[in-house]
Amino acid sequence: MRYDKGHKAATRQKILETASCEFRKEGIEGIGLADIMGRAGLTHGGFYSHFSSKDELVRQTLSETYDPMKPTIFRQEGQSRDVEEVIRGYLSVRHRDHPEKGCYAAALAGEIGRQPRGTREAFTDLLNKRIADLENGLSPKLSAKAKRGKALAIFSTIMGALQLSRTVPDSETSEEILEAGIQAALGIARS
Amino acid sequence: MRYDKGHKAATRQKILETASCEFRKEGIEGIGLADIMGRAGLTHGGFYSHFSSKDELVRQTLSETYDPMKPTIFRQEGQSRDVEEVIRGYLSVRHRDHPEKGCYAAALAGEIGRQPRGTREAFTDLLNKRIADLENGLSPKLSAKAKRGKALAIFSTIMGALQLSRTVPDSETSEEILEAGIQAALGIARS
DNA sequence: TGTACATCAGTGAACGCGCGTTCACTGATGTAC
DNA sequence: TGTACATCAGTGAACGCGCGTTCACTGATGTAC
Protein backbone atom coordinates (compact mmCIF):
# COMPACT_ATOMS: atom_id res chain seq x y z
CA MET A 1 0.00 0.00 0.00
CA ARG A 2 0.99 3.56 -0.68
CA TYR A 3 0.17 4.96 2.71
CA ASP A 4 0.63 4.01 6.36
CA LYS A 5 -1.87 1.55 7.77
CA GLY A 6 -3.80 4.27 9.57
CA HIS A 7 -3.78 6.72 6.68
CA LYS A 8 -7.24 6.06 5.31
CA ALA A 9 -8.82 6.11 8.77
CA ALA A 10 -7.09 9.42 9.45
CA THR A 11 -8.40 10.90 6.20
CA ARG A 12 -11.91 9.73 7.06
CA GLN A 13 -11.58 11.39 10.46
CA LYS A 14 -10.39 14.61 8.83
CA ILE A 15 -13.45 14.57 6.51
CA LEU A 16 -15.76 13.97 9.48
CA GLU A 17 -14.25 16.83 11.46
CA THR A 18 -14.44 19.22 8.53
CA ALA A 19 -18.04 18.19 7.80
CA SER A 20 -18.88 18.61 11.47
CA CYS A 21 -17.75 22.27 11.41
CA GLU A 22 -19.21 23.07 8.00
CA PHE A 23 -22.61 21.58 8.77
CA ARG A 24 -22.83 23.67 11.93
CA LYS A 25 -21.63 26.81 10.16
CA GLU A 26 -23.61 26.59 6.89
CA GLY A 27 -26.33 24.05 7.62
CA ILE A 28 -26.60 20.57 6.13
CA GLU A 29 -28.24 21.77 2.92
CA GLY A 30 -26.08 24.89 2.89
CA ILE A 31 -22.75 23.16 2.28
CA GLY A 32 -21.75 20.91 -0.64
CA LEU A 33 -19.57 17.80 -0.62
CA ALA A 34 -17.02 19.42 -2.95
CA ASP A 35 -16.53 22.27 -0.47
CA ILE A 36 -16.25 19.91 2.49
CA MET A 37 -13.65 17.79 0.68
CA GLY A 38 -11.79 20.91 -0.46
CA ARG A 39 -11.61 22.27 3.08
CA ALA A 40 -10.35 18.89 4.25
CA GLY A 41 -7.51 19.26 1.72
CA LEU A 42 -8.86 16.69 -0.76
CA THR A 43 -10.69 16.58 -4.08
CA HIS A 44 -14.38 15.71 -4.23
CA GLY A 45 -14.02 12.47 -6.20
CA GLY A 46 -12.53 10.55 -3.30
CA PHE A 47 -15.52 11.10 -1.07
CA TYR A 48 -17.29 7.86 -2.03
CA SER A 49 -14.39 5.64 -0.99
CA HIS A 50 -15.12 6.84 2.57
CA PHE A 51 -18.92 7.28 2.66
CA SER A 52 -21.76 5.94 0.55
CA SER A 53 -23.71 9.22 0.35
CA LYS A 54 -24.02 12.70 1.82
CA ASP A 55 -26.78 11.36 4.03
CA GLU A 56 -24.43 8.75 5.48
CA LEU A 57 -21.85 11.47 6.15
CA VAL A 58 -24.48 13.40 8.10
CA ARG A 59 -25.35 10.33 10.16
CA GLN A 60 -21.71 9.42 10.83
CA THR A 61 -20.92 13.02 11.75
CA LEU A 62 -23.67 12.90 14.36
CA SER A 63 -22.72 9.50 15.72
CA GLU A 64 -18.90 9.52 15.44
CA THR A 65 -17.81 13.05 16.16
CA TYR A 66 -16.74 13.08 19.78
CA ASP A 67 -19.61 14.48 21.81
CA PRO A 68 -20.20 17.53 19.67
CA MET A 69 -23.29 18.53 21.64
CA LYS A 70 -20.81 19.53 24.32
CA PRO A 71 -19.18 22.43 22.51
CA THR A 72 -15.45 22.04 21.79
CA ILE A 73 -14.70 25.53 22.96
CA PHE A 74 -16.11 24.80 26.40
CA ARG A 75 -15.10 21.19 26.76
CA GLN A 76 -13.13 20.30 29.87
CA GLU A 77 -11.04 17.29 30.75
CA GLY A 78 -12.56 14.57 32.84
CA GLN A 79 -15.47 14.98 35.22
CA SER A 80 -18.76 16.71 34.73
CA ARG A 81 -19.08 20.38 35.50
CA ASP A 82 -21.40 22.38 37.63
CA VAL A 83 -24.76 23.05 35.92
CA GLU A 84 -24.35 26.78 36.39
CA GLU A 85 -21.00 26.70 34.63
CA VAL A 86 -22.50 24.68 31.77
CA ILE A 87 -25.38 27.13 31.37
CA ARG A 88 -23.16 30.21 31.42
CA GLY A 89 -20.71 28.68 28.97
CA TYR A 90 -23.53 27.60 26.66
CA LEU A 91 -25.18 31.03 26.67
CA SER A 92 -21.92 32.96 26.26
CA VAL A 93 -21.15 35.45 23.50
CA ARG A 94 -18.31 33.18 22.44
CA HIS A 95 -20.64 30.25 21.86
CA ARG A 96 -23.15 32.49 20.05
CA ASP A 97 -20.40 33.72 17.71
CA HIS A 98 -18.87 30.31 16.96
CA PRO A 99 -21.62 27.92 15.85
CA GLU A 100 -19.06 25.86 13.93
CA LYS A 101 -17.41 24.86 17.20
CA GLY A 102 -20.61 24.77 19.20
CA CYS A 103 -23.70 22.77 19.94
CA TYR A 104 -25.13 20.64 17.13
CA ALA A 105 -28.68 21.02 18.36
CA ALA A 106 -28.57 24.82 18.33
CA ALA A 107 -27.08 24.84 14.84
CA LEU A 108 -29.12 22.05 13.25
CA ALA A 109 -32.29 21.16 15.20
CA GLY A 110 -34.63 22.77 12.66
CA GLU A 111 -33.05 20.92 9.74
CA ILE A 112 -32.79 17.65 11.64
CA GLY A 113 -36.57 17.60 12.00
CA ARG A 114 -36.77 17.32 8.18
CA GLN A 115 -34.14 14.61 7.80
CA PRO A 116 -34.76 10.87 7.26
CA ARG A 117 -35.46 8.72 10.28
CA GLY A 118 -31.90 7.35 10.58
CA THR A 119 -30.47 10.83 10.89
CA ARG A 120 -33.06 11.79 13.46
CA GLU A 121 -32.22 8.67 15.47
CA ALA A 122 -28.51 9.50 15.44
CA PHE A 123 -29.37 13.00 16.61
CA THR A 124 -31.60 11.64 19.39
CA ASP A 125 -28.72 9.51 20.72
CA LEU A 126 -26.57 12.61 20.93
CA LEU A 127 -29.38 14.57 22.58
CA ASN A 128 -29.88 11.86 25.20
CA LYS A 129 -26.17 11.95 26.08
CA ARG A 130 -26.33 15.69 26.54
CA ILE A 131 -29.47 15.40 28.69
CA ALA A 132 -27.80 12.73 30.83
CA ASP A 133 -24.81 15.06 31.34
CA LEU A 134 -27.12 17.80 32.55
CA GLU A 135 -28.95 15.38 34.88
CA ASN A 136 -25.65 14.53 36.57
CA GLY A 137 -25.19 18.14 37.55
CA LEU A 138 -28.61 18.41 39.22
CA SER A 139 -29.37 17.91 42.92
CA PRO A 140 -29.07 14.20 43.86
CA LYS A 141 -32.17 14.63 46.04
CA LEU A 142 -34.40 14.78 42.98
CA SER A 143 -36.09 11.68 41.61
CA ALA A 144 -34.79 10.31 38.30
CA LYS A 145 -37.97 11.44 36.60
CA ALA A 146 -37.74 14.96 38.00
CA LYS A 147 -34.09 15.19 36.99
CA ARG A 148 -34.88 14.16 33.46
CA GLY A 149 -37.73 16.67 33.18
CA LYS A 150 -35.57 19.48 34.48
CA ALA A 151 -32.65 18.54 32.22
CA LEU A 152 -34.95 18.49 29.17
CA ALA A 153 -36.38 21.87 30.13
CA ILE A 154 -32.95 23.42 30.77
CA PHE A 155 -31.68 22.16 27.46
CA SER A 156 -34.77 23.43 25.59
CA THR A 157 -34.33 26.82 27.22
CA ILE A 158 -30.63 27.29 26.54
CA MET A 159 -30.81 25.87 23.01
CA GLY A 160 -33.81 28.07 22.18
CA ALA A 161 -32.16 31.16 23.67
CA LEU A 162 -28.88 30.54 21.82
CA GLN A 163 -30.70 30.16 18.51
CA LEU A 164 -32.72 33.31 19.03
CA SER A 165 -29.60 35.23 20.06
CA ARG A 166 -28.04 34.19 16.73
CA THR A 167 -30.96 35.47 14.68
CA VAL A 168 -30.99 39.00 16.11
CA PRO A 169 -28.66 41.45 14.28
CA ASP A 170 -28.50 43.91 17.19
CA SER A 171 -25.95 42.70 19.74
CA GLU A 172 -27.60 44.42 22.70
CA THR A 173 -30.90 42.60 22.17
CA SER A 174 -29.00 39.42 21.44
CA GLU A 175 -27.22 39.61 24.78
CA GLU A 176 -30.49 40.41 26.53
CA ILE A 177 -31.79 37.09 25.20
CA LEU A 178 -28.70 35.23 26.43
CA GLU A 179 -29.08 36.76 29.89
CA ALA A 180 -32.81 35.93 30.08
CA GLY A 181 -31.96 32.34 29.11
CA ILE A 182 -29.28 32.10 31.81
CA GLN A 183 -31.63 33.34 34.54
CA ALA A 184 -34.45 31.03 33.47
CA ALA A 185 -32.20 27.97 33.15
CA LEU A 186 -30.64 28.62 36.55
CA GLY A 187 -34.15 28.99 37.97
CA ILE A 188 -35.13 25.58 36.62
CA ALA A 189 -31.91 24.01 37.92
CA ARG A 190 -32.43 25.42 41.42
CA SER A 191 -36.14 24.86 41.82
CA MET B 1 -56.49 45.35 -18.19
CA ARG B 2 -57.32 41.70 -18.39
CA TYR B 3 -58.08 41.16 -14.73
CA ASP B 4 -59.95 42.95 -11.96
CA LYS B 5 -58.15 45.77 -10.25
CA GLY B 6 -57.29 43.64 -7.23
CA HIS B 7 -56.24 40.58 -9.19
CA LYS B 8 -52.48 41.09 -9.12
CA ALA B 9 -52.50 41.93 -5.42
CA ALA B 10 -54.54 38.78 -4.75
CA THR B 11 -52.05 36.66 -6.70
CA ARG B 12 -49.18 38.19 -4.78
CA GLN B 13 -50.99 37.37 -1.55
CA LYS B 14 -51.53 33.79 -2.71
CA ILE B 15 -47.80 33.43 -3.47
CA LEU B 16 -46.91 34.85 -0.04
CA GLU B 17 -49.26 32.46 1.75
CA THR B 18 -47.99 29.45 -0.19
CA ALA B 19 -44.38 30.48 0.43
CA SER B 20 -45.18 30.96 4.10
CA CYS B 21 -46.35 27.33 4.44
CA GLU B 22 -43.64 25.84 2.23
CA PHE B 23 -40.79 27.65 3.98
CA ARG B 24 -42.03 26.37 7.34
CA LYS B 25 -42.54 22.84 6.03
CA GLU B 26 -39.37 22.40 3.92
CA GLY B 27 -37.07 25.17 5.10
CA ILE B 28 -36.02 28.22 3.09
CA GLU B 29 -33.26 26.38 1.25
CA GLY B 30 -35.38 23.24 1.05
CA ILE B 31 -38.05 24.61 -1.29
CA GLY B 32 -37.62 26.04 -4.79
CA LEU B 33 -39.44 28.95 -6.41
CA ALA B 34 -40.88 26.72 -9.14
CA ASP B 35 -42.49 24.49 -6.49
CA ILE B 36 -43.87 27.47 -4.58
CA MET B 37 -45.35 28.96 -7.74
CA GLY B 38 -46.73 25.57 -8.79
CA ARG B 39 -48.44 25.06 -5.43
CA ALA B 40 -49.90 28.56 -5.73
CA GLY B 41 -51.42 27.44 -9.06
CA LEU B 42 -49.03 29.41 -11.27
CA THR B 43 -45.97 28.84 -13.43
CA HIS B 44 -42.53 29.84 -12.25
CA GLY B 45 -41.86 32.54 -14.89
CA GLY B 46 -44.32 34.99 -13.42
CA PHE B 47 -42.56 35.14 -10.10
CA TYR B 48 -40.42 38.14 -10.95
CA SER B 49 -43.35 40.39 -11.78
CA HIS B 50 -44.24 40.11 -8.07
CA PHE B 51 -40.86 39.91 -6.29
CA SER B 52 -37.33 40.87 -7.27
CA SER B 53 -35.66 37.74 -5.86
CA LYS B 54 -36.16 34.72 -3.62
CA ASP B 55 -34.49 36.66 -0.84
CA GLU B 56 -37.10 39.43 -1.18
CA LEU B 57 -39.86 36.81 -1.02
CA VAL B 58 -38.41 35.53 2.24
CA ARG B 59 -38.31 39.04 3.70
CA GLN B 60 -41.84 39.88 2.55
CA THR B 61 -43.12 36.58 3.88
CA LEU B 62 -41.72 37.42 7.29
CA SER B 63 -42.97 41.01 7.30
CA GLU B 64 -46.30 40.74 5.46
CA THR B 65 -47.81 37.42 6.47
CA TYR B 66 -50.30 38.15 9.22
CA ASP B 67 -48.60 37.44 12.51
CA PRO B 68 -47.32 34.01 11.62
CA MET B 69 -45.41 33.68 14.86
CA LYS B 70 -48.81 33.21 16.41
CA PRO B 71 -49.72 29.87 14.83
CA THR B 72 -52.77 29.90 12.55
CA ILE B 73 -54.15 26.76 14.08
CA PHE B 74 -54.23 28.32 17.52
CA ARG B 75 -55.13 31.87 16.58
CA GLN B 76 -58.14 33.36 18.28
CA GLU B 77 -60.22 36.40 17.53
CA GLY B 78 -59.61 39.62 19.38
CA GLN B 79 -57.95 39.92 22.75
CA SER B 80 -54.84 38.29 24.11
CA ARG B 81 -55.05 34.92 25.75
CA ASP B 82 -53.93 33.58 29.04
CA VAL B 83 -50.21 32.70 29.09
CA GLU B 84 -50.96 29.15 30.21
CA GLU B 85 -53.27 28.67 27.24
CA VAL B 86 -50.60 30.03 24.87
CA ILE B 87 -47.97 27.72 26.30
CA ARG B 88 -50.17 24.61 26.16
CA GLY B 89 -51.27 25.40 22.62
CA TYR B 90 -47.70 26.03 21.51
CA LEU B 91 -46.39 22.80 23.00
CA SER B 92 -49.29 20.67 21.74
CA VAL B 93 -48.98 17.56 19.60
CA ARG B 94 -51.00 19.38 16.93
CA HIS B 95 -48.49 22.20 16.69
CA ARG B 96 -45.58 19.74 16.68
CA ASP B 97 -47.16 17.85 13.79
CA HIS B 98 -48.06 20.89 11.67
CA PRO B 99 -44.99 23.08 11.29
CA GLU B 100 -46.40 24.51 8.05
CA LYS B 101 -49.20 26.16 10.01
CA GLY B 102 -47.14 26.88 13.08
CA CYS B 103 -44.53 29.17 14.55
CA TYR B 104 -41.96 30.64 12.16
CA ALA B 105 -39.26 30.76 14.81
CA ALA B 106 -39.53 27.05 15.63
CA ALA B 107 -39.44 26.13 11.94
CA LEU B 108 -36.77 28.57 10.74
CA ALA B 109 -34.67 30.06 13.56
CA GLY B 110 -31.57 28.01 12.68
CA GLU B 111 -31.69 29.04 9.03
CA ILE B 112 -32.54 32.67 9.82
CA GLY B 113 -29.26 32.97 11.71
CA ARG B 114 -27.49 32.35 8.37
CA GLN B 115 -29.57 34.77 6.28
CA PRO B 116 -28.60 38.30 5.19
CA ARG B 117 -29.09 41.15 7.63
CA GLY B 118 -32.38 42.37 6.10
CA THR B 119 -34.00 38.98 6.59
CA ARG B 120 -32.76 38.80 10.16
CA GLU B 121 -34.19 42.24 10.82
CA ALA B 122 -37.60 41.24 9.46
CA PHE B 123 -37.48 38.16 11.67
CA THR B 124 -36.54 40.24 14.71
CA ASP B 125 -39.59 42.47 14.19
CA LEU B 126 -41.79 39.40 14.22
CA LEU B 127 -40.04 38.04 17.30
CA ASN B 128 -40.53 41.31 19.16
CA LYS B 129 -44.27 41.22 18.43
CA ARG B 130 -44.50 37.72 19.78
CA ILE B 131 -42.55 38.65 22.90
CA ALA B 132 -44.81 41.69 23.46
CA ASP B 133 -47.86 39.38 23.20
CA LEU B 134 -46.39 37.12 25.87
CA GLU B 135 -45.57 40.10 28.12
CA ASN B 136 -49.23 41.16 28.03
CA GLY B 137 -50.24 37.85 29.55
CA LEU B 138 -47.85 38.16 32.52
CA SER B 139 -48.67 39.55 35.96
CA PRO B 140 -49.13 43.35 35.79
CA LYS B 141 -47.27 43.60 39.10
CA LEU B 142 -43.97 42.85 37.38
CA SER B 143 -41.70 45.65 36.13
CA ALA B 144 -41.44 46.13 32.36
CA LYS B 145 -37.89 44.80 32.44
CA ALA B 146 -38.88 41.70 34.43
CA LYS B 147 -41.77 41.04 32.05
CA ARG B 148 -39.53 41.26 29.02
CA GLY B 149 -36.96 38.93 30.57
CA LYS B 150 -39.63 36.38 31.46
CA ALA B 151 -41.27 36.61 28.04
CA LEU B 152 -37.92 36.05 26.30
CA ALA B 153 -37.20 33.09 28.56
CA ILE B 154 -40.66 31.55 28.05
CA PHE B 155 -40.37 31.92 24.30
CA SER B 156 -36.85 30.41 24.26
CA THR B 157 -38.10 27.48 26.31
CA ILE B 158 -41.21 26.68 24.27
CA MET B 159 -39.50 27.24 20.92
CA GLY B 160 -36.55 25.05 21.95
CA ALA B 161 -38.82 22.32 23.29
CA LEU B 162 -41.00 22.33 20.16
CA GLN B 163 -37.97 22.02 17.91
CA LEU B 164 -36.51 19.18 19.96
CA SER B 165 -39.88 17.39 20.01
CA ARG B 166 -39.85 17.53 16.19
CA THR B 167 -36.39 15.97 15.92
CA VAL B 168 -37.16 12.89 18.01
CA PRO B 169 -38.66 9.97 16.02
CA ASP B 170 -40.14 8.26 19.08
CA SER B 171 -43.45 9.89 19.99
CA GLU B 172 -43.27 9.01 23.68
CA THR B 173 -39.95 10.80 24.14
CA SER B 174 -41.21 13.62 21.97
CA GLU B 175 -44.23 14.13 24.21
CA GLU B 176 -42.01 13.94 27.29
CA ILE B 177 -40.10 16.92 25.89
CA LEU B 178 -43.33 18.84 25.25
CA GLU B 179 -44.50 18.19 28.81
CA ALA B 180 -41.15 19.23 30.33
CA GLY B 181 -41.32 22.43 28.29
CA ILE B 182 -44.86 23.17 29.48
CA GLN B 183 -43.94 22.73 33.15
CA ALA B 184 -40.81 24.85 32.84
CA ALA B 185 -42.55 27.63 30.89
CA LEU B 186 -45.42 27.73 33.40
CA GLY B 187 -42.84 27.87 36.20
CA ILE B 188 -41.21 30.93 34.61
CA ALA B 189 -44.60 32.59 34.05
CA ARG B 190 -45.65 32.07 37.67
CA SER B 191 -42.40 32.89 39.44
C1' DT C 1 -72.31 49.33 -31.98
C1' DG C 2 -68.15 47.52 -34.18
C1' DT C 3 -63.28 47.28 -35.16
C1' DA C 4 -58.20 48.12 -34.16
C1' DC C 5 -55.02 48.70 -30.87
C1' DA C 6 -52.65 48.91 -26.18
C1' DT C 7 -52.08 46.73 -21.86
C1' DC C 8 -49.90 43.51 -18.85
C1' DA C 9 -50.46 39.14 -15.73
C1' DG C 10 -49.06 35.01 -16.68
C1' DT C 11 -46.45 31.33 -19.77
C1' DG C 12 -42.74 28.31 -20.79
C1' DA C 13 -38.20 27.73 -23.08
C1' DA C 14 -33.66 28.80 -22.08
C1' DC C 15 -29.41 30.62 -19.38
C1' DG C 16 -25.37 29.41 -16.36
C1' DC C 17 -24.36 27.25 -12.21
C1' DG C 18 -23.57 24.09 -8.45
C1' DC C 19 -25.28 19.97 -6.65
C1' DG C 20 -24.65 14.68 -5.53
C1' DT C 21 -22.81 10.97 -7.78
C1' DT C 22 -19.93 7.93 -11.06
C1' DC C 23 -15.87 6.25 -13.08
C1' DA C 24 -11.56 5.60 -15.76
C1' DC C 25 -7.31 6.84 -14.42
C1' DT C 26 -2.75 8.04 -11.65
C1' DG C 27 1.20 7.15 -9.17
C1' DA C 28 3.60 6.04 -4.84
C1' DT C 29 4.29 2.21 -2.37
C1' DG C 30 4.59 -2.93 -0.75
C1' DT C 31 5.29 -7.57 -2.38
C1' DA C 32 6.96 -11.48 -5.37
C1' DC C 33 10.64 -13.56 -7.47
C1' DT D 1 19.83 -6.38 -4.36
C1' DG D 2 17.10 -5.37 -8.50
C1' DT D 3 13.12 -5.62 -11.48
C1' DA D 4 8.04 -6.46 -12.55
C1' DC D 5 3.75 -6.40 -10.86
C1' DA D 6 -0.37 -5.61 -7.70
C1' DT D 7 -2.59 -2.46 -4.66
C1' DC D 8 -5.67 1.25 -3.71
C1' DA D 9 -6.23 6.28 -1.78
C1' DG D 10 -6.87 9.99 -4.17
C1' DT D 11 -7.73 12.71 -8.84
C1' DG D 12 -10.52 15.21 -11.99
C1' DA D 13 -13.66 15.02 -16.02
C1' DA D 14 -18.23 13.96 -16.79
C1' DC D 15 -23.32 12.60 -15.78
C1' DG D 16 -28.18 14.27 -15.12
C1' DC D 17 -30.73 17.28 -12.38
C1' DG D 18 -32.86 21.21 -10.14
C1' DC D 19 -31.83 25.71 -8.83
C1' DG D 20 -32.60 31.09 -9.36
C1' DT D 21 -33.15 34.07 -12.97
C1' DT D 22 -34.21 36.08 -17.77
C1' DC D 23 -36.95 37.01 -21.63
C1' DA D 24 -39.74 36.78 -25.94
C1' DC D 25 -44.18 35.66 -26.25
C1' DT D 26 -49.54 34.88 -25.43
C1' DG D 27 -54.10 36.11 -25.09
C1' DA D 28 -58.02 38.08 -22.55
C1' DT D 29 -59.50 42.36 -21.58
C1' DG D 30 -60.16 47.70 -21.52
C1' DT D 31 -59.91 51.77 -24.37
C1' DA D 32 -60.04 54.78 -28.62
C1' DC D 33 -62.41 56.09 -32.48
Side-chain angles (χ1 to χ4, degrees), chain B residues 2 7-8 11 43-46 50:
Chain B
R2 293 201 279 163
H7 180 89
K8 192 172 182 187
T11 302
T43 51
H44 65 280
H50 293 282

Side-chain angles (χ1 to χ4, degrees), chain B residues 54-65:
Chain B
K54 185 180 185 183
D55 191 62
E56 200 209 349
L57 175 65
V58 174
R59 266 180 284 118
Q60 302 285 0
T61 302
L62 291 173
S63 61
E64 289 194 23
T65 311

Side-chain angles (χ1 to χ4, degrees), chain A residues 63-91:
Chain A
S63 61
E64 290 192 23
T65 310
Y66 170 68
D67 202 3
M69 206 83 80
K70 191 181 280 184
T72 317
I73 43 177
F74 307 114
R75 193 177 293 152
Q76 287 195 339
E77 294 303 319
Q79 68 261 24
S80 70
R81 291 171 297 160
D82 187 56
V83 176
E84 173 160 356
E85 200 187 334
V86 173
I87 290 168
R88 290 190 183 277
Y90 195 99
L91 290 178

Side-chain angles (χ1 to χ4, degrees), chain A residues 156 159-161 163-164, chain B residues 90-91 103-107 109 123 127 154-164:
Chain A
S156 296
M159 189 204 73
Q163 275 193 29
L164 291 178
Chain B
Y90 195 101
L91 290 178
C103 174
Y104 266 62
F123 178 83
L127 179 61
I154 290 169
F155 192 66
S156 295
T157 303
I158 63 181
M159 188 204 74
L162 187 65
Q163 274 193 29
L164 290 178

Side-chain angles (χ1 to χ4, degrees), chain A residues 15 32-51 53-54 57:
Chain A
I15 296 168
L33 293 179
D35 278 339
I36 291 171
M37 292 299 278
R39 281 166 215 190
L42 296 156
T43 52
H44 65 279
F47 176 81
Y48 293 88
S49 66
H50 293 281
F51 305 96
S53 66
K54 185 181 184 182
L57 175 64

Side-chain angles (χ1 to χ4, degrees), chain B residues 31 106 111 160:
Chain B
I31 187 78
E111 255 180 305

Side-chain angles (χ1 to χ4, degrees), chain A residues 86-120:
Chain A
V86 173
I87 290 168
R88 290 190 183 277
Y90 195 99
L91 290 178
S92 66
V93 168
R94 192 156 57 130
H95 192 188
R96 180 196 67 191
D97 293 342
H98 293 286
E100 79 282 1
K101 292 179 193 159
C103 175
Y104 266 63
L108 300 176
E111 254 180 307
I112 295 286
R114 296 174 215 118
Q115 296 291 314
R117 191 178 178 93
T119 307
R120 294 166 66 201

